[in-house]
Amino acid sequence: MTLLRSGSATDTGLVRSVNQDLAIETSNLFAVADGMGGHAGGEVASRLAVDALTAAFGRQPTGFGLSEAVTEANGVVWHHSQDNPDLRGMGTTLTAVALVNEDGRDVLALVNVGDSRSYRFHEGEITQITTDHSLAEEMVRTGELTEAEAAVHPHRHILTRALGVATDVAVDLWRIQPVRGDRYLLCSDGLTNELTVEQIADVLASVSDPQKAAELLVQAARTHGGSDNITVVIVDVVVGEDDDESAPTVAAVNSDFAKPPPLPQGFSPTEAGVIAASPAAEKAPPGRRERRRAKRRAKRLARGRRLITFRTLLFLILLVAVLAAALFAVRWYDTNSYFVGVKNNELVIYQGRVGGFLWYHPVEVERTGVTTSDVPSLYLEPLKAGVEESSVGSARTYVSNLVNDKQSQQNPAVLPTTSVPAPTTSTPRAAPTTTKAGGT
Ligand code: MN
């Protein structure tokens, strides 16, 4: 007894105006179609193909039946395009997986035409089952291109096989043993053109809910460009064969499952290929830490490329805070300093440091109206250099003291009543100037 659980998501992407992709999920049949053709061609082709596939498979729900259903869908799309000049040239890719019962055993039948893909995720390892029917892929097979070159090759979108473009079509078919815990990913090229297989595997490894995983994959493809329609179907084998080394698997009994041949390199399209879940676990299941790491990578993937990590951000915040504090201190030091200077023979109170401090230049705060002739000449030299004061108030007092000093020197009689001792030696308050003056 095999039980499947699935999820799917589709998105137009960021560049295309319509979504010509189509996904279906039924209890035992899952498919992705990527339609192509001008006008409404692409949408019509994928819809016709998927509907015809579902109907035909329903009549004959076997592996062979699934393959036949694809052939039938091809005929439906082809005839529809011949009957409607507007739709001529339309076609679609189609990849589908179905749970069928053959000889009393549950089997997953998988078919493909075109460059949509099916992957199997088994014990933390992702394997592409299908072969792209594209010019670039053929060139890889003949050795004209490397995989990396093919991924960006301008001909990667040119299909060598599609559904509905000719009277007949060759269908690739696989029969696979459903192993509990395995996931199957069906997707259009809008996913695989944006994400690497490692990025896809990270999501499959870390997000157990198939619906959430499908949505996350589509979102990630959008974040990474979304240059095409994106469609994802994920099918999980919830109940199935145990992939346990000690338990004898059906694969050992049924010759169909005896040995998994290498994935369809140079696969003859008219034959039915077979891959089987290898009964022995070649790899230990990913550990907890690895799963957690994969989860983090998956989350990052969905958010898109991040330029700064949390740690860098924290560092930058601290750096800015330190700089801000330093600036504040400098500014405080500057704005809490005053001096009296001379400008055009007038005594002026400045805020700031004499000669400026760092990039702060002294700011004129107040013109006193007192000229150099109003103060004793012996103060002129220090005044021209700038006499520091701690506040505007003390600067004013200093200036008025200078004026008083000059007046008392010139005109002692003007001073008020003799009862009050005249400040004959009234010394300016500012200490540095006073000592200097006194020393002269
Ligand atoms: Mn596409």
Side-chain angles (χ1 to χ4, degrees):
M1 150 102 174
T2 302
L3 207 71
L4 305 176
R5 183 170 167 233
S6 68
S8 69
T10 187
D11 192 271
T12 307
L14 304 171
V15 176
R16 303 289 168 90
S17 54
V18 290
N19 194 346
Q20 303 185 317
D21 283 4
L22 193 63
I24 54 151
E25 280 176 87
T26 71
S27 61
N28 61 345
L29 177 67
F30 310 87
V32 165
D34 178 353
M36 68 206 86
H39 300 286
E43 290 151 279
V44 174
S46 54
R47 169 54 67 189
L48 284 172
V50 162
D51 287 350
L53 178 87
T54 312
F57 174 72
R59 288 193 297 273
Q60 194 185 356
T62 62
F64 178 70
L66 182 65
S67 171
E68 284 291 285
V70 177
T71 308
E72 205 168 313
N74 179 73
V76 169
V77 177
W78 167 251
H79 287 119
H80 200 89
S81 81
Q82 293 309 108
D83 296 344
N84 298 274
D86 271 4
L87 300 173
R88 211 152 280 171
M90 72 173 174
T92 184
T93 73
L94 184 65
T95 188
V97 65
L99 178 64
V100 297
N101 197 283
E102 292 185 339
D103 308 322
R105 290 191 48 249
D106 285 334
V107 174
L108 289 171
L110 201 148
V111 285
N112 183 57
V113 172
D115 69 349
S116 291
R117 290 178 182 175
S118 289
Y119 289 90
R120 178 184 183 219
F121 187 70
H122 169 81
E123 302 279 13
E125 290 270 297
I126 192 165
T127 313
Q128 187 181 333
I129 299 167
T130 55
T131 309
D132 295 351
H133 300 138
S134 67
L135 205 57
E137 186 58 40
E138 307 247 314
M139 287 164 87
V140 169
R141 233 172 298 157
T142 55
E144 286 171 75
L145 287 180
T146 65
E147 288 282 356
E149 287 166 344
V152 293
H153 198 272
H155 289 171
R156 69 182 184 278
H157 300 300
I158 298 176
L159 297 186
T160 50
R161 235 196 276 177
L163 205 106
V165 296
T167 52
D168 208 6
V169 71
V171 182
D172 290 352
L173 167 72
W174 294 264
R175 286 184 169 86
I176 310 164
Q177 180 185 11
V179 173
R180 185 166 59 96
D182 278 6
R183 313 192 93 166
Y184 289 86
L185 166 72
L186 280 57
C187 61
S188 61
D189 65 337
L191 181 80
T192 49
N193 284 336
E194 309 293 358
L195 303 181
T196 65
V197 72
E198 290 81 14
Q199 291 173 321
I200 293 171
D202 274 344
V203 174
L204 294 178
S206 58
V207 183
S208 57
D209 180 81
Q211 182 57 37
K212 283 190 183 136
E215 286 166 9
L216 189 63
L217 281 172
V218 167
Q219 183 53 48
R222 270 179 66 95
T223 321
H224 282 72
S227 58
D228 192 4
N229 304 149
I230 311 145
T231 302
V232 167
V233 173
I234 292 172
V235 182
D236 287 346
V237 182
V238 180
V239 177
E241 298 292 332
D242 257 320
D243 191 37
D244 184 350
E245 214 173 340
S246 59
T249 60
V250 191
V253 183
N254 190 315
S255 65
D256 266 7
F257 295 94
K259 213 67 218 150
L263 284 180
Q265 277 283 331
F267 185 75
S268 159
T270 44
E271 278 170 20
V274 174
I275 71 160
S278 98
E282 322 90 3
K283 263 196 172 269
R288 236 197 174 153
R289 188 189 289 183
E290 181 48 43
R291 271 206 304 277
R292 226 178 296 137
R293 220 176 277 153
K295 199 164 211 159
R296 273 202 298 274
R297 281 199 298 267
K299 276 185 189 158
R300 221 177 298 142
L301 180 70
R303 277 197 299 266
R305 268 164 287 224
R306 279 206 301 180
L307 294 175
I308 41 174
T309 63
F310 175 73
R311 218 180 274 190
T312 339
L313 192 69
L314 191 68
F315 173 76
L316 285 174
I317 287 171
L318 286 175
L319 188 71
V320 166
V322 166
L323 282 174
L327 274 178
F328 183 80
V330 161
R331 176 134 186 85
W332 183 88
Y333 174 68
D334 183 74
T335 54
N336 281 277
S337 308
Y338 296 88
F339 68 91
V340 181
V342 178
K343 187 184 175 187
N344 301 328
N345 293 323
E346 186 183 1
L347 269 64
V348 174
I349 300 170
Y350 291 96
Q351 186 184 48
R353 291 277 154 180
V354 177
F357 176 63
L358 296 181
W359 53 91
Y360 289 111
H361 294 291
V363 176
E364 199 178 296
V365 175
E366 193 174 294
R367 292 191 179 193
T368 58
V370 176
T371 62
T372 45
S373 55
D374 296 333
V375 301
S377 57
L378 96 128
Y379 294 108
L380 289 179
E381 206 54 45
L383 275 171
K384 277 174 188 161
V387 177
E388 290 184 355
E389 287 293 332
S390 60
S391 67
V392 180
S394 64
R396 280 185 197 134
T397 310
Y398 172 68
V399 172
S400 63
N401 281 345
L402 291 181
V403 174
N404 288 343
D405 202 12
K406 171 93 176 186
Q407 283 172 352
S408 64
Q409 274 176 21
Q410 286 175 336
N411 192 6
V414 174
L415 288 167
T417 54
T418 45
S419 60
V420 179
T424 41
T425 51
S426 143
T427 44
R429 225 185 43 79
T433 320
T434 315
T435 32
K436 221 175 181 180
T440 318

